[in-house]
Amino acid sequence: GKGASAAGLTATVRVDPTTKEWTLEGGALVMADGGICCIDEFEKMNEYDRTSIHEAMEQQTLSISKAGIVAQLNAECSVIAAANPIQSRYDSSKSILRNVNLGEAILSRFDIILPIKDIIDPIEDELLASQITANHINPEHSDDKRDGTISQELLRKYISYARNKKPLLDRINRNKITNLYSRLRKESYAIYGSLKIAVRHIESIIRIAEAFAKMRLANYVEEDDLENAIDVVINAFIEGQKYGVK
């Protein structure tokens, strides 16, 4: 929120108390290199502070030129940001751009945008309440007795191993991505107030397809991975439209 600043997210310079020389200190995005950076109440950040992370989200680097120090820092991290709707409740009659006080420039840099709607469902509400209660009663073993679950230790090992996989893209259908991009781009410009599809969304599809392949611990991105990635992107695009468009 308002506590996040451009310097805190990117990098800042300060005078070393011992040497009296200017030194460079990396911010949250630099420290999260190779990991995940989470930002809450994203809409409350100053517009200048949000603009400062454009380079990191698009190029995975941060260029710094302060106090005579010129450097380029790695910021290869995933950014998960949460923002509240303008009226504190998501209005399905409006698009995502009209619900959240964020510019299209920053929104288009996210691979997936998921509106979380407060839908009343007694069954889901009961399951959620039960899980939260179990976590507080026995945090270490709240999931161990449920069928089909694995331990947190095994999950950490699986995620660590999967992230190191580098699946190849040799087997994917390039024409499918090309045709999808062309059609989605046309649709996004035909809908008033819609988040426009840009070239970076092609990269989003590829990254998501690679993520699905990593989940399978595979060496190649297969057609099913690409189909799953396309489904995710299309569903996110549709969910971001106003109800009348769907």
Side-chain angles (χ1 to χ4, degrees):
K2 294 182 179 179
S5 64
L9 287 172
T10 57
T12 186
V13 292
R14 70 178 185 88
V15 178
D16 188 278
T18 305
T19 63
K20 305 302 180 182
E21 295 180 352
W22 289 100
T23 58
L24 184 65
E25 286 190 354
L29 292 172
V30 178
M31 296 177 66
D33 183 39
I36 300 174
C37 179
C38 299
I39 306 174
D40 194 13
E41 296 188 332
F42 196 49
E43 83 287 352
K44 291 185 175 64
M45 287 179 59
N46 182 280
E47 183 63 29
Y48 168 76
D49 297 331
R50 284 200 297 262
T51 303
S52 67
I53 68 175
H54 281 194
E55 180 189 355
M57 295 188 66
E58 187 167 0
Q59 302 177 19
Q60 303 283 276
T61 60
L62 286 170
S63 299
I64 305 297
S65 180
K66 296 180 180 180
I69 299 176
V70 179
Q72 188 176 68
L73 306 175
N74 290 330
E76 297 181 4
C77 64
S78 300
V79 177
I80 299 177
N84 298 310
I86 295 176
Q87 300 297 330
S88 300
R89 190 177 182 86
Y90 194 87
D91 186 355
S92 297
S93 66
K94 300 178 181 178
S95 67
I96 186 73
L97 286 174
R98 300 291 182 267
N99 269 284
V100 183
N101 188 25
L102 295 171
E104 188 170 349
I106 189 67
L107 284 176
S108 65
R109 283 170 166 79
F110 286 94
D111 291 341
I112 307 172
I113 301 176
L114 298 175
I116 300 177
K117 303 171 185 177
D118 188 14
I119 300 174
I120 299 176
D121 186 330
I123 297 177
E124 291 293 331
D125 293 343
E126 184 177 342
L127 290 173
L128 178 61
S130 175
Q131 179 64 32
I132 293 174
T133 304
N135 285 338
H136 282 280
I137 295 174
N138 195 348
E140 295 296 329
H141 305 287
S142 59
D143 289 335
D144 291 352
K145 295 182 179 180
R146 295 178 58 186
D147 294 335
T149 61
I150 61 176
S151 66
Q152 293 186 10
E153 181 181 359
L154 180 58
L155 180 61
R156 292 191 189 99
K157 291 180 179 179
Y158 164 74
I159 294 174
S160 178
Y161 183 77
R163 287 177 60 185
N164 291 325
K165 298 290 291 185
K166 303 292 182 183
L168 303 177
L169 299 168
D170 300 353
R171 301 179 182 178
I172 64 172
N173 188 341
R174 299 180 184 180
N175 292 331
K176 182 175 292 186
I177 299 177
T178 303
N179 295 334
L180 174 71
Y181 169 71
S182 177
R183 291 169 55 192
L184 277 182
R185 182 170 170 81
K186 180 180 178 181
E187 291 294 332
S188 68
Y189 276 85
I191 302 172
Y192 176 76
S194 168
L195 181 65
K196 301 301 183 286
I197 297 296
V199 175
R200 59 174 62 100
H201 288 94
I202 299 177
E203 298 176 342
S204 297
I205 293 174
I206 294 174
R207 280 193 292 265
I208 296 171
E210 289 177 334
F212 275 110
K214 289 181 179 181
M215 290 171 62
R216 297 188 298 105
L217 307 181
N219 295 322
Y220 289 90
V221 178
E222 302 290 352
E223 198 66 22
D224 288 344
D225 300 319
L226 180 59
E227 287 289 346
N228 291 332
I230 290 174
D231 287 344
V232 169
V233 171
I234 290 179
N235 287 333
F237 175 73
I238 294 175
E239 285 296 318
Q241 308 306 319
K242 56 186 179 182
Y243 183 78
V245 174
K246 300 178 186 179

